[in-house]
Amino acid sequence: MKVAVTVSLKDGVLDPQGKAVEHALHNLGFANVTEVRVGKVISFDIEATDAAQARSQAGEMGRRLLANTVIERFDVQVQP
Amino acid sequence: MKVAVTVSLKDGVLDPQGKAVEHALHNLGFANVTEVRVGKVISFDIEATDAAQARSQAGEMGRRLLANTVIERFDVQVQP
């Protein structure tokens, strides 16, 4: 089963990497772009009996390792 | 319009960050996880007349700035 965990900074947390990308996009002429945020996506295969088990394990991985839940939130997508 | 550009290493390109996460997950007891890959997601707001224009501009951003297309591929999602 394929799982993708998307980790992004919580709203209100400064994102200097996003700001740098935003400036670079403006310099390239994409002036119509705002609110740039940069996050991570961790994708993997997991052996699980069903999607619910995969989702539950991925949630535990997010809390214990993949995200710093003080400043980041994460979202789990499971593809069978 | 909200756009998310997901950048990931092409298949066959070594992903040491993914390997490190995989080892850490195994050490935490998630032995059923394989093929861990770590990518980036760049999300932003864009002023565009329609989803097709947003998608086309995001594709140009991916090619020119967000992805190194020698070793990375990217995927554009547009949410109206």
Side-chain angles (χ1 to χ4, degrees):
Chain A
M1 215 167 288
K2 292 208 174 291
V3 174
V5 179
T6 306
V7 179
S8 48
L9 287 168
K10 287 183 179 175
D11 294 339
V13 178
L14 285 179
D15 182 358
Q17 196 183 357
K19 278 286 167 223
V21 171
E22 187 167 325
H23 281 298
L25 287 172
H26 290 178
N27 288 341
L28 284 173
F30 298 103
N32 54 344
V33 170
T34 54
E35 298 290 331
V36 181
R37 309 281 283 178
V38 178
K40 278 177 299 186
V41 54
I42 299 102
S43 58
F44 49 85
D45 287 343
I46 187 169
E47 268 188 47
T49 50
D50 54 28
Q53 196 203 11
R55 178 175 298 276
S56 147
Q57 288 211 352
E60 199 186 333
M61 291 174 210
R63 281 185 297 276
R64 291 180 62 190
L65 179 74
L66 304 177
N68 174 354
T69 54
V70 176
I71 56 170
E72 293 172 327
R73 59 188 150 74
F74 66 91
D75 178 56
V76 174
Q77 287 113 22
V78 178
Q79 300 150 25
Chain B
M1 215 167 289
K2 290 206 175 292
V3 175
V5 179
T6 306
V7 179
S8 48
L9 288 167
K10 288 183 179 174
D11 293 338
V13 178
L14 286 179
D15 182 358
Q17 196 182 359
K19 279 286 167 220
V21 171
E22 187 166 326
H23 282 297
L25 287 172
H26 289 178
N27 288 341
L28 284 173
F30 298 104
N32 54 343
V33 170
T34 54
E35 300 290 331
V36 181
R37 309 282 281 178
V38 178
K40 279 177 297 189
V41 54
I42 299 100
S43 58
F44 50 85
D45 287 343
I46 186 168
E47 267 188 46
T49 51
D50 54 28
Q53 195 203 13
R55 179 175 297 278
S56 146
Q57 288 211 352
E60 199 186 332
M61 293 174 208
R63 280 185 297 276
R64 291 181 61 190
L65 179 75
L66 304 177
N68 173 355
T69 54
V70 177
I71 56 168
E72 294 171 327
R73 59 189 150 72
F74 66 91
D75 178 56
V76 174
Q77 287 115 22
V78 178
Q79 299 150 27

